Amino acid sequence: MNWRKPAAYIVTACNTLAASGVFADVNKVEEVIVSASRTNKPITAIPNTVKVIDREALEAQLATSTSLLDGLSFAVPSLTPAHQKMTSNGVTLRGRTPLYMADGIPQSTPLRNGKRSGFTIDPAFIDRVEVIYGANAIQGVGATGGVINYVTVDAPESGDLLQKVATRVTSDNFEGDGFHYKLSGLLGKKFDNTDVVFGVAHDVQDLYYDGNGDPIAVDPIQGDTMDSRTWNIFTKAGLDLDEYQRIEVTGNYFDLDGDGDYRVVDGDALAGIPATSESGKGEGDPTYNEALNLSVAYSHANLFGGELTLRGFYYDFYALYGGGTFPAFQDPAIAPAGTLFDQSALSSEKYGTKLTFVRDNTFWDGLQVAAGVDYLRDKTYQELAQTDRLWVPEMIYKGWAPFVQLEQRLVDDRLRLSFGGRFENVELEVPDFTTVAGANNTFVEGGEPSFEELLGNAGIVFDVTEDLTVFASYAEGFTMPDAGLILRGVNIPGQTIDELVDLQPVVADNLETGINYRRGGLDIAASYFWSDSDLGSRILVVDGVGQITRQKTEIEGLEVSAAYHFDSGVSTGIAYSQLEGRFDSDGDGSVDKDLDGRNIAPDRINIYVEAPLAANWHGRLQYSKLLDRDFDGGLPQYEFDGYSVVDAVVSYRDASLGNFTLGIENLLDEDYITYYSQTLTYVNNSTYFAGRGRAVSLGWQKTF
């Protein structure tokens, strides 16, 4: 496991996570380009923590994980452990919300954060995942915790025909309802001046079982990857207009539908008894996610001595959540108080453009100038689907932002100094609306609040020797608070949109310093960061419904890793992540209480070893220890009792037969309660979840 810093990053470092049957030559040095940086910048030049998880590393994690978000949890220790559900609720990066992207298209829904942004594309179509840690404004709104960018597959540069088929069968407890199936296929080819890729994936998931042999409860509100069927259709086509110019079109349709075959059997959270599932239909309609991504990109690699890229995109997202007879849903005009069942649905539709021009050696040698402008329009609303009521009014976010980024290389390119700024111009349009009966049918006068903010950054990267690099940086990022939570809860008459101070943006600062050392097979990295927000955003849940509080927050953390790659092909490594977060509970300007598990990941130790076992055989064993955490001012039953999980992967690769993989998640069948369920005070008897027990997956993959 490798934490990547802006030092001599190599492809083989990414591959230390791989367990697909081929180990890379650890002596091969090759620059990795990070597209999420907006300048296709080498990872060696970025003055903050960046990690690139390549396809082999990704497949190693997916061999034992049911979802992409679960798989990233081991690869990125400061990312909160995933819930093994269809939600990223409480999943943070360095204690703040990351911006999820697919080929640079924002997948997040900041105006009403539905916590489903990590489930909009199947991993079969992802070539690599780029993670930029810490608050930044590189991609605009939403990245107060960092950026997680899914980069999709391309046609082979060689011109060979890409024909790839993969299938996997997974069993929980070898029970009849504990079998899961997945099939995917890719077809692609590069011709003289055109290329095309097309893929289809289908995934069927039934019940998961915990370490005690009991069926895990389906999530009745947020939705679940259990008891679901997923279809994903992906396509990408490119046309090279000439030696320098290219047009590329990408489309992806993702549909994850719950089957609704199981209902929750309540546990007892206070007694530590998790909820379980039983056969039978629950109330309402099954939850689902539906997402459509379309983009058109134009690039010119030699325009006035620089490179121009222009991307236009469209993103349409709709998610249905579970329901209940919550007080906020009640309306005596429809049904007697306490009897009205409803469930919410979130719609987010956005389009925009991203223009970037990068020129090296501008004005003088060593100076790189990157400049551009972004535009984003996001229309979001939330409805109560069973009764066709508008719960959150239609909000329209319109923002445009010019930016300039400079980098100067000095001392034979060993020293890089960078600084830049992004000027955000944002307007939020909200019409007049009346809240639902649960918020007293309160009339709220619409408005168009706006703000302008200059977000700056500065950094330094210095190669002390060929083996040792140090860096330091400062960056600002911003997001909108969960405006939908704020608006739907307005219950005091006489308020207007322009007067609601809680709609002010969340601006987070990120200070970071670190080192990276690599010599021979040894790779060591360490970084420390500190992040604060004077007007942070923290969610409380009252009567099953979220509410926003705006409070000063401060977060700091330490990330350390070490790995060694032996000439024999054996690799081993260890990574440690530590986070502390505090907020200002009494408004006196000083932080005084711990942020809870919705914001802060547990301290964590990850260890792995992988090695060739015999001819064509390779193996990997990984261990993850989540450490205990106490929260001051919290109730004892919501402190976190840590747990450990061991995963194993064995693979066999044959040129004619293909690649066979045996993955075992939770090898020791550890019985535990998830971090999410242990630490959040609003978890109840129906959402107190056990973690997944031992699950055995057999996969086959063949490239023709």
Side-chain angles (χ1 to χ4, degrees):
M1 171 64 207
N2 285 300
W3 285 90
R4 298 314 323 153
K5 306 296 183 286
Y9 186 83
I10 63 171
V11 167
T12 56
C14 291
N15 286 340
T16 60
L17 282 174
S20 54
V22 171
F23 287 86
D25 176 4
V26 298
N27 296 312
K28 176 187 175 185
V29 177
E30 182 178 341
E31 274 191 324
V32 171
I33 302 299
V34 181
S35 62
S37 67
R38 296 295 297 271
T39 59
N40 285 333
K41 189 181 291 293
I43 204 167
T44 56
I46 301 175
N48 55 289
T49 304
V50 178
K51 184 175 185 65
V52 177
I53 306 165
D54 71 1
R55 183 64 205 181
E56 285 192 70
L58 195 59
E59 287 183 352
Q61 298 306 311
L62 293 173
T64 61
S65 301
T66 59
S67 74
L68 179 60
L69 200 56
D70 291 343
L72 289 177
S73 184
F74 185 91
V76 185
S78 55
L79 187 71
T80 310
H83 309 318
Q84 302 165 356
K85 303 292 183 183
M86 192 176 43
T87 178
S88 58
N89 187 19
V91 176
T92 60
L93 178 59
R94 285 190 171 179
R96 300 188 187 276
T97 303
L99 170 62
Y100 297 91
M101 309 189 77
D103 287 335
I105 302 174
Q107 308 293 287
S108 299
T109 57
L111 296 182
R112 174 69 276 268
N113 194 347
K115 306 296 185 180
R116 296 271 191 87
S117 305
F119 299 88
T120 60
I121 185 170
D122 191 276
F125 311 125
I126 296 175
D127 178 66
R128 67 183 186 274
V129 180
E130 301 171 340
V131 184
I132 299 179
Y133 294 66
N136 65 78
I138 295 170
Q139 298 286 355
V141 60
T144 55
V147 174
I148 299 176
N149 185 41
Y150 306 139
V151 182
T152 59
V153 297
D154 292 316
E157 284 292 331
S158 63
D160 295 337
L161 179 64
L162 171 64
Q163 299 178 84
K164 183 178 179 180
V165 176
T167 185
R168 185 174 71 178
V169 177
T170 303
S171 176
D172 283 62
N173 224 23
F174 294 99
E175 297 286 346
D177 55 7
F179 280 88
H180 324 285
Y181 311 92
K182 182 173 182 179
L183 176 66
S184 64
L186 269 172
L187 184 65
K189 185 172 175 59
K190 183 174 180 63
F191 303 93
D192 290 339
N193 64 340
T194 60
D195 52 87
V196 63
V197 178
F198 178 78
V200 177
H202 183 50
D203 193 1
V204 179
Q205 298 287 316
D206 210 331
L207 271 183
Y208 304 157
Y209 283 79
D210 64 22
N212 197 40
D214 296 320
I216 297 172
V218 292
D219 192 322
I221 305 299
Q222 299 296 332
D224 218 302
T225 53
M226 287 196 307
D227 188 31
S228 70
R229 297 173 184 269
T230 302
W231 282 100
N232 197 149
I233 301 174
F234 169 80
T235 188
K236 180 188 288 188
L239 172 64
D240 297 327
L241 301 175
D242 56 32
E243 182 181 359
Y244 301 110
Q245 299 182 82
R246 175 176 172 83
I247 294 177
E248 186 173 271
V249 179
T250 304
N252 189 74
Y253 175 73
F254 179 88
D255 184 28
L256 192 163
D257 292 318
D259 285 336
D261 293 333
Y262 302 97
R263 58 181 175 232
V264 176
V265 178
D266 287 353
D268 188 335
L270 293 179
I273 301 173
T276 60
S277 292
E278 67 178 8
S279 295
K281 297 289 185 181
E283 286 191 273
D285 298 321
T287 59
Y288 65 87
N289 250 26
E290 188 175 21
L292 174 65
N293 279 285
L294 299 172
S295 72
V296 179
Y298 167 79
S299 61
H300 196 308
N302 189 19
L303 182 65
F304 304 115
E307 182 175 355
L308 174 76
T309 58
L310 173 63
R311 180 182 294 273
F313 62 87
Y314 173 80
Y315 175 64
D316 190 16
F317 174 81
Y318 192 87
L320 180 67
Y321 298 83
T325 55
F326 304 123
F329 292 175
Q330 301 308 301
D331 188 339
I334 301 175
T339 66
L340 181 59
F341 173 90
D342 219 326
Q343 55 191 129
S344 69
L346 173 65
S347 173
S348 178
E349 183 184 35
K350 55 172 66 82
Y351 60 81
T353 58
K354 293 175 177 286
L355 173 66
T356 307
F357 180 75
V358 182
R359 192 177 191 275
D360 208 3
N361 298 319
T362 304
F363 305 125
W364 54 78
D365 286 346
L367 177 65
Q368 183 188 79
V369 177
V373 62
D374 294 347
Y375 175 76
L376 175 66
R377 184 185 188 275
D378 185 340
K379 180 177 71 174
T380 299
Y381 66 88
Q382 189 174 17
E383 61 185 355
L384 297 177
Q386 295 293 335
T387 54
D388 197 26
R389 290 178 290 167
L390 195 62
W391 195 14
V392 173
E394 186 177 276
M395 303 169 291
I396 299 178
Y397 172 103
K398 292 186 290 186
W400 66 275
F403 67 90
V404 176
Q405 191 72 31
L406 307 177
E407 180 188 88
Q408 178 66 57
R409 301 187 303 276
L410 301 167
V411 194
D412 297 326
D413 291 349
R414 291 172 54 198
L415 175 65
R416 295 173 183 261
L417 304 175
S418 62
F419 61 93
R422 179 183 175 99
F423 189 63
E424 289 287 348
N425 300 264
V426 174
E427 181 180 82
L428 182 65
E429 296 182 3
V430 182
D432 295 346
F433 72 98
T434 300
T435 60
V436 296
N440 300 329
N441 290 316
T442 304
F443 175 78
V444 181
E445 182 182 334
E448 298 180 0
S450 62
F451 78 91
E452 298 177 346
E453 188 79 27
L454 178 62
L455 303 168
N457 68 84
I460 179 172
V461 179
F462 182 52
D463 294 329
V464 180
T465 68
E466 290 185 357
D467 307 317
L468 177 65
T469 297
V470 297
F471 74 93
S473 65
Y474 169 79
E476 294 177 308
F478 89 103
T479 191
M480 297 297 293
D482 199 325
L485 281 183
I486 297 168
L487 297 180
R488 76 188 191 188
V490 175
N491 57 12
I492 300 175
Q495 298 194 71
T496 68
I497 295 297
D498 293 326
E499 294 171 346
L500 290 172
V501 67
D502 284 346
L503 291 177
Q504 299 280 332
V506 178
V507 178
D509 304 323
N510 187 76
L511 282 166
E512 182 174 1
T513 184
I515 64 169
N516 192 90
Y517 177 79
R518 181 176 181 87
R519 186 176 181 84
L522 179 64
D523 192 356
I524 300 174
S527 65
Y528 166 81
F529 76 92
W530 182 83
S531 172
D532 85 313
S533 180
D534 291 335
L535 193 61
S537 176
R538 200 168 68 90
I539 296 178
L540 300 176
V541 174
V542 179
D543 293 329
V545 177
Q547 298 179 1
I548 286 285
T549 61
R550 302 302 303 275
Q551 297 158 326
K552 178 181 178 66
T553 59
E554 292 182 0
I555 301 170
E556 62 180 331
L558 174 69
E559 299 156 350
V560 182
S561 70
Y564 194 82
H565 318 288
F566 296 89
D567 293 338
S568 63
V570 176
S571 296
T572 185
I574 183 171
Y576 172 68
S577 173
Q578 176 184 324
L579 288 174
E580 297 290 340
R582 307 273 286 174
F583 70 96
D584 178 10
S585 67
D586 54 15
D588 67 354
S590 298
V591 295
D592 60 331
K593 285 190 177 180
D594 290 338
L595 290 167
D596 65 11
R598 187 175 189 131
N599 300 274
I600 298 295
D603 297 343
R604 185 170 186 166
I605 300 172
N606 288 345
I607 302 173
Y608 78 91
V609 62
E610 59 186 9
L613 303 177
N616 298 332
W617 290 89
H618 291 84
R620 175 183 175 88
L621 194 67
Q622 64 185 38
Y623 166 83
S624 184
K625 172 67 175 178
L626 279 64
L627 304 177
D628 296 357
R629 180 181 288 277
D630 296 331
F631 300 93
D632 64 3
L635 299 175
Q637 64 265 34
Y638 297 111
E639 309 301 341
F640 176 58
D641 293 328
Y643 57 84
S644 302
V645 176
V646 177
D647 301 325
V649 180
V650 176
S651 63
Y652 173 80
R653 175 165 291 183
D654 182 90
S656 58
L657 297 178
N659 184 30
F660 296 87
T661 302
L662 175 67
I664 306 177
E665 180 180 2
N666 194 356
L667 176 67
L668 303 181
D669 211 16
E670 175 79 6
D671 188 21
Y672 65 94
I673 302 297
T674 64
Y675 180 69
Y676 172 87
S677 292
Q678 286 194 49
T679 59
L680 299 189
T681 57
Y682 58 83
V683 167
N684 56 43
N685 291 336
S686 66
T687 57
Y688 188 66
F689 301 123
R692 193 175 187 181
R694 184 186 298 117
V696 180
S697 297
L698 180 62
W700 172 75
Q701 181 176 291
K702 172 69 174 175
T703 301
F704 298 91

